[in-house]
Amino acid sequence: MTERVAIVTGAAQGIGAAIAKELAADGVKVVVTDINIDGATKVAEEIGAVAKRLDVSDPEQANAVVAETVAELGRLDILVNNAGLVPYTPFDDLTIEQWRRTFSVNGEGLFNMTKAAVEAMKANEYGRIVNIASNTFVAGTPNCADYVATKGAVVGFTRAVAGEIGKYGITINAVAPGITASEGVFTTGHGEGFDYVVPMQAFNRRAVPADIAPAVAFLASEKAEWVTGQLLVVDGGHTRN
Ligand code: NAD
Ligand code: 4PL
């Protein structure tokens, strides 16, 4: 196959940046996208990739970045829907405004990007879509009900759409990390979570973004052709689904 082209969302830091690096190491041409264009540009420079500013919650930006990618790099083979808000809010403090905001990125962003990418991938009758879920959906982690609900949406969407896009040669799967030492996780109360999660894992250390990226790269590869609509939990054995 000719060199594959990927878009990774929310790739300026954390798990998204690690995924962009892993794909680039596999020889994939990566478009590093984020609302934080400075961070995205830094990651892109490190791996010899292209950076583009993209707010996934805006359907026009989603369409434009997919169109530019196809125009500039010739095709789109891989989409990694990684961009997400990871709030930490007890249910007693959760508002409808926050609920909508979390869904606008984690839910609508997933829809906007998948919609645009499937249209582009149809042309080549080939595609790999990997959506970043979370093991909070398995564990029912407290203090982030809005977030856990969006991750349930990621799993449901992945399962439902898989059956409708197989005819185009496109697979769609979800990867559920457990708590992972990204930049973002330490900006909220989630940072405290390591103290009780690590003892439940099979391995006695904190996950880092590089622990998540190889599972994503597998599902994004030609080798994962017979895997679709699945949830792969990558959490060091914290949960067993
Ligand atoms: P992070 O906060 O470190 O990075 C998220 C990135 O997404 C940031 O660069 C941010 O600028 C970008 N972003 C936010 N809103 C955006 C938007 N509207 N459009 C485009 N980009 C946007 O987070 P992370 O921990 O690396 O999380 C990445 C993904 O992994 C998320 O989907 C998150 O839910 C998931 N996840 C994280 C953990 C964890 O413990 N870190 C565990 C399970 C799942
Ligand atoms: C177990 O996805 O999976 C905290 C914050 N704890 O975002 C997550 C666990 C967090 C998680 C997550």
Side-chain angles (χ1 to χ4, degrees), residues 66-67 70 75-77 114-126 170:
V66 169
V70 172
R75 51 193 290 130
L76 178 64
D77 303 288
T114 304
K115 192 79 183 164
V118 166
E119 283 308 311
M121 289 170 173
K122 275 180 188 174
N124 303 319
E125 296 189 348
Y126 179 88
I170 305 171

Side-chain angles (χ1 to χ4, degrees), residues 34-220:
D34 205 289
I35 43 171
N36 170 8
I37 185 61
D38 293 342
T41 301
K42 270 195 199 138
V43 171
E45 279 170 2
E46 249 182 78
I47 62 177
V50 182
K52 289 188 187 292
R53 191 183 181 285
L54 168 62
D55 179 343
V56 296
S57 70
D58 178 350
E60 283 176 21
Q61 290 185 37
N63 290 333
V65 165
V66 169
E68 282 170 29
T69 298
V70 172
E72 292 164 17
L73 300 175
R75 51 193 290 130
L76 178 64
D77 303 288
I78 299 164
L79 168 65
V80 181
N81 283 308
N82 166 83
L85 299 176
V86 190
Y88 181 94
T89 311
F91 180 67
D92 285 341
D93 301 331
L94 195 55
T95 61
I96 187 62
E97 289 76 23
Q98 183 179 322
W99 176 275
R100 286 184 184 138
R101 200 168 97 82
T102 308
F103 268 84
S104 76
V105 179
N106 302 11
E108 290 175 39
L110 170 73
F111 175 79
N112 293 334
M113 289 306 294
T114 304
K115 192 79 183 164
V118 166
E119 283 308 311
M121 289 170 173
K122 275 180 188 174
N124 303 319
E125 296 189 348
Y126 179 88
R128 296 280 182 267
I129 300 172
V130 185
N131 302 323
I132 304 305
S134 163
N135 81 343
T136 58
F137 179 62
V138 180
T141 306
N143 298 312
C144 49
D146 53 336
Y147 174 77
V148 178
T150 66
K151 294 306 183 179
V154 172
V155 175
F157 179 75
T158 300
R159 288 180 180 166
V161 172
E164 298 192 48
I165 61 178
K167 59 179 179 280
Y168 307 124
I170 305 171
T171 67
I172 181 166
N173 292 286
V175 166
I179 191 169
T180 302
S182 66
E183 286 87 341
V185 92
F186 293 112
T187 63
T188 64
H190 286 301
E192 312 282 316
F194 289 102
D195 292 343
Y196 67 85
V197 169
V198 170
M200 284 188 269
Q201 296 174 176
F203 312 112
N204 186 30
R205 67 165 175 82
R206 294 177 174 189
V208 293
D211 292 317
I212 312 304
V216 176
F218 165 67
L219 292 169

